[in-house]
Amino acid sequence: MANSLAATNITRILKIILSVSFLIIFISFLLITQFNSFNPQLNQIEFSKRISNSRTTQLTGGITSGCEEVHKFKSYREKCNYLNSELWCRPDGYINYLQLFYCTFGQLPVLGYTVLILWLLVLFYLLGNTAAHYFCSNLEALSGILHLSPTIAGVTLLSLGNGAPDAFSTIVSFVGNGTASVGLNSVLGGVFFVSSVVVGIISILVGTQEISIDRSSFVRDVCFLIFVLLVVVLILAIGKINLVGAIAFASLYLVYVILVSITHACKKRDIETGIPDELTMPITYLNNPISEDSEVIGELDAPLLGSCKDKNHPSNCLTGDVSKVLFILELPLYLPRRLTIPDVCEERWSKPFAVISVTLAPVLVATLWNSKREEDMISIESLLIFLSCGSLGLVLGSTALIKTKREGPPTRFVSAWLGGGFLMSVIWAYMIAQELVSLLISLGIILQISTSILGLTVLAWGNSLGDLISNVAVAVNGSPGGAQVAVSGCYGGPVFNLLVGLGLSLVLCCWAGYPSPVVIPQDPTLYETLGFLIGGLLWALVMVPKRGMRLDRGLGYGLLSIYFCFLVIRLAQSIGLLQL
């Protein structure tokens, strides 16, 4: 009860902070737009000469990636004109953050930094919240319709609960132009953080309780994770991968699912009562372990923030004036998704929202499709796409208005509703992840920090925050089973992120460029990351059996030391203090 109350309070505080952050961003943008109403006029001949000199330097050997040459100009007006004149400075996302920083907030850089950082926090929240409340809830319901066994659902859907933000960020990084290094560093950084920092914190917190974990499950998970990392090392050493190789790499997750299923079946057979013991549950049951007799899959773990079973808006957890204020502040974050993602969850069912969502969802798809096409948004092809999707939306909306009831969600064609909700949640998660990666790339250029460092730290930490909160909370609940589930989740989740997140990214890239193989970015620091990561896993693989499968503080401090030593080395390399 105390843990639940504390989690609720933390959720309220985080929602208030994020809502206020969004309000600050909105007000700041309005004020600076009004204040910065000038039209930066620069002598075009002089500016053209500077651009010409810059390009000459680039062609003669002083090549820089992206639009980092913006720092060659001193005034913000010159930087703004440079950004407006160069096509490669336009981001893959929907917001041009470099133009926003140098042109809109050019005179007030501190305010610009504040707005970008606050927006970064909002994007992390939106990505995790979308995955938890829409993406995973639709998958959960689909698994019930498909009658998936709890074991299979556990090693797939529950892993997806925490791994969805990492997977979407990785896919976006690989699909984007020149951002594959961000994706590689992000997924490896997330695996390293979870398997070292989260496991280390859990070991320190439960070290005095003499808690033991299951030997076979621990050895299986750690060894399989090391095997997957060695495969990644092989891919990096080869430097390229074709479609067959990418599919084979992603398919290793099926092997992992089979291993978990076999282990679970063997352990279940050995239990006389027929009810699984907590220590024998599948590795990714992060919240509510599910018995083999259960007919309903338990609630999926929220990647970033805990969920509140709201009826029509996100503030029903609160009461009084605070609830009303928070409801108003959260509307810009809540309504766009609520109005475009069909949701048939019984606790959140609302016929008006259902009708509006199925009507607007095709329009949103058409808008996004046209925005990524090279043709003009007002071309004949674009208008035909809008007209077709708008007509489809009207048909779906009219059907939903006639066939659904106000009292509860529909009981017929539920698969179609869930499929539509799943598709729109994927689109929203992809959009948010795309903005997140685009913002990190822009921050790397603004701060002159390697984007691989930002992916290894900021993006990895943000996407792993859910793992830290949920796994630590499960581990410290006082039961040995909680520690087993938490530790196993710390190794099962990274396996999912590597094989599904990274594997699916490679498959998509290879498919887009078929039959040519995909060239893997040559980043020597990736070998350092993999070396420290495997070293931390080997430390755990040696220390835990040596201590009788007990989690103790020695294991925790060792894992934290390995991670922070690696972090210090990488940061020292990034600022030029250390060269290896």
Side-chain angles (χ1 to χ4, degrees):
M1 180 65 69
N3 289 337
S4 177
L5 182 60
T8 302
N9 291 332
I10 293 175
T11 300
R12 292 179 180 179
I13 294 173
L14 287 175
K15 283 189 174 182
I16 293 174
I17 293 175
L18 290 168
S19 300
V20 173
S21 299
F22 185 83
L23 183 63
I24 293 174
I25 294 171
F26 182 71
I27 294 176
S28 300
F29 184 77
L30 291 180
L31 292 177
I32 200 66
T33 302
Q34 296 296 325
F35 176 74
N36 193 22
S37 58
F38 68 92
N39 184 17
Q41 298 292 333
L42 183 67
N43 188 300
Q44 295 297 323
I45 297 178
E46 179 183 355
F47 186 75
S48 299
K49 290 181 179 179
R50 295 185 182 184
I51 292 292
S52 177
N53 293 336
S54 174
R55 289 174 176 169
T56 302
T57 302
Q58 180 176 355
L59 294 174
T60 56
I63 299 177
T64 58
S65 60
C67 52
E68 296 173 352
E69 291 186 358
V70 68
H71 296 290
K72 293 183 178 181
F73 303 97
K74 295 183 179 180
S75 70
Y76 67 91
R77 294 189 179 186
E78 292 177 333
K79 293 179 179 180
C80 179
N81 279 329
Y82 173 78
L83 294 173
N84 290 329
S85 64
E86 300 300 331
L87 294 177
W88 62 65
C89 291
R90 298 177 182 177
D92 292 331
Y94 298 93
I95 302 176
N96 192 331
Y97 296 103
L98 292 177
Q99 190 178 64
L100 183 68
F101 181 81
Y102 288 111
C103 300
T104 305
F105 297 103
Q107 292 179 302
L108 302 170
V110 175
L111 182 59
Y113 285 120
T114 303
V115 168
L116 292 183
I117 292 175
L118 291 177
W119 182 238
L120 180 67
L121 297 177
V122 171
L123 288 177
F124 273 125
Y125 166 75
L126 288 176
L127 181 59
N129 184 263
T130 301
H133 287 264
Y134 298 102
F135 181 73
C136 293
S137 63
N138 282 289
L139 276 181
E140 178 185 6
L142 284 173
S143 69
I145 293 177
L146 297 174
H147 301 291
L148 296 180
S149 67
T151 302
I152 301 300
V155 296
T156 54
L157 302 186
L158 292 179
S159 290
L160 193 56
N162 268 347
D166 304 81
F168 281 115
S169 299
T170 305
I171 292 172
V172 167
S173 299
F174 271 84
V175 173
N177 297 321
T179 57
S181 179
V182 178
L184 283 171
N185 281 278
S186 172
V187 67
L188 292 178
V191 171
F192 199 1
F193 181 85
V194 173
S195 62
S196 294
V197 175
V198 179
V199 175
I201 293 175
I202 291 173
S203 301
I204 293 173
L205 293 177
V206 303
T208 59
Q209 302 178 22
E210 297 290 326
I211 292 179
S212 299
I213 58 177
D214 182 64
R215 178 185 295 270
S216 60
S217 297
F218 175 80
V219 174
R220 176 200 64 206
D221 299 339
V222 176
C223 289
F224 198 89
L225 181 54
I226 293 176
F227 168 72
V228 173
L229 292 172
L230 291 177
V231 175
V232 174
V233 172
L234 179 62
I235 294 174
L236 292 176
I238 296 175
K240 59 183 179 180
I241 188 172
N242 57 21
L243 181 60
V244 175
I247 294 175
F249 177 71
S251 299
L252 287 176
Y253 195 69
L254 296 178
V255 178
Y256 180 64
V257 172
I258 293 173
L259 287 176
V260 173
S261 301
I262 293 174
T263 304
H264 180 73
C266 294
K267 290 180 178 295
K268 179 186 175 183
R269 186 180 55 188
D270 296 336
I271 298 174
E272 298 178 353
T273 61
I275 300 176
D277 184 81
E278 285 182 307
L279 291 180
T280 66
M281 292 304 298
I283 61 163
T284 49
Y285 283 68
L286 298 183
N287 264 347
N288 301 321
I290 306 165
S291 68
E292 196 67 34
D293 299 328
S294 176
E295 297 180 357
V296 181
I297 303 301
E299 182 179 357
L300 295 176
D301 178 49
L304 188 58
L305 297 176
S307 64
C308 175
K309 292 186 177 180
D310 50 87
K311 178 67 177 175
N312 290 324
H313 61 78
S315 302
N316 282 337
C317 294
L318 303 176
T319 58
D321 296 335
V322 176
S323 175
K324 297 178 181 178
V325 173
L326 185 58
F327 171 68
I328 296 174
L329 292 176
E330 282 190 296
L331 281 179
L333 303 179
Y334 173 74
L335 274 182
R337 293 174 296 161
R338 191 70 171 95
L339 294 176
T340 52
I341 302 179
D343 190 357
V344 291
C345 176
E346 187 172 356
E347 292 83 4
R348 297 191 296 264
W349 169 253
S350 170
K351 181 175 180 177
F353 276 118
V355 174
I356 294 174
S357 63
V358 297
T359 303
L360 296 182
V363 178
L364 176 62
V365 173
T367 303
L368 297 178
W369 181 272
N370 285 329
S371 67
K372 293 301 181 182
R373 298 172 71 246
E374 295 182 358
E375 289 81 1
D376 193 353
M377 288 283 288
I378 59 175
S379 64
I380 297 178
E381 292 82 359
S382 299
L383 293 177
L384 287 176
I385 293 175
F386 273 119
L387 182 61
S388 301
C389 292
S391 301
L392 177 61
L394 290 176
V395 172
L396 294 176
S398 301
T399 305
L401 180 63
I402 297 172
K403 295 296 184 180
T404 58
K405 298 180 180 180
R406 185 178 298 272
E407 293 77 17
T411 56
R412 299 180 60 188
F413 305 105
V414 178
S415 299
W417 281 93
L418 293 174
F422 173 77
L423 175 63
M424 293 308 301
S425 62
V426 168
I427 291 175
W428 268 101
Y430 188 88
M431 288 168 50
I432 298 169
Q434 188 176 48
E435 282 304 307
L436 187 57
V437 173
S438 177
L439 176 56
L440 284 177
I441 296 295
S442 300
L443 284 174
I445 295 174
I446 294 172
L447 300 174
Q448 301 186 64
I449 299 176
S450 171
T451 53
S452 62
I453 291 292
L454 292 177
L456 187 66
T457 55
V458 177
L459 187 56
W461 294 341
N463 286 336
S464 302
L465 181 60
D467 300 81
L468 176 63
I469 295 174
S470 61
N471 291 341
V472 171
V474 170
V476 299
N477 67 359
S479 67
Q484 170 68 38
V485 171
V487 172
S488 296
C490 289
Y491 296 115
V495 171
F496 176 89
N497 293 338
L498 284 169
L499 295 180
V500 177
L502 180 58
L504 185 58
S505 301
L506 293 174
V507 170
L508 293 176
C509 289
C510 292
W511 182 271
Y514 184 81
S516 301
V518 170
V519 178
I520 306 299
Q522 295 299 312
D523 186 355
T525 60
L526 291 174
Y527 293 102
E528 297 177 22
T529 304
L530 286 165
F532 276 94
L533 175 52
I534 295 175
L537 294 173
L538 291 175
W539 170 263
L541 191 60
V542 171
M543 293 299 297
V544 174
K546 185 178 180 181
R547 302 295 176 87
M549 302 307 298
R550 289 190 299 270
L551 303 175
D552 61 6
R553 294 184 175 181
L555 170 67
Y557 288 127
L559 291 174
L560 292 178
S561 299
I562 292 173
Y563 183 81
F564 285 113
C565 285
F566 161 77
L567 201 60
V568 170
I569 292 175
R570 289 291 285 115
L571 292 177
Q573 288 178 319
S574 66
I575 61 178
L577 295 179
L578 180 64
Q579 298 292 334
L580 295 179

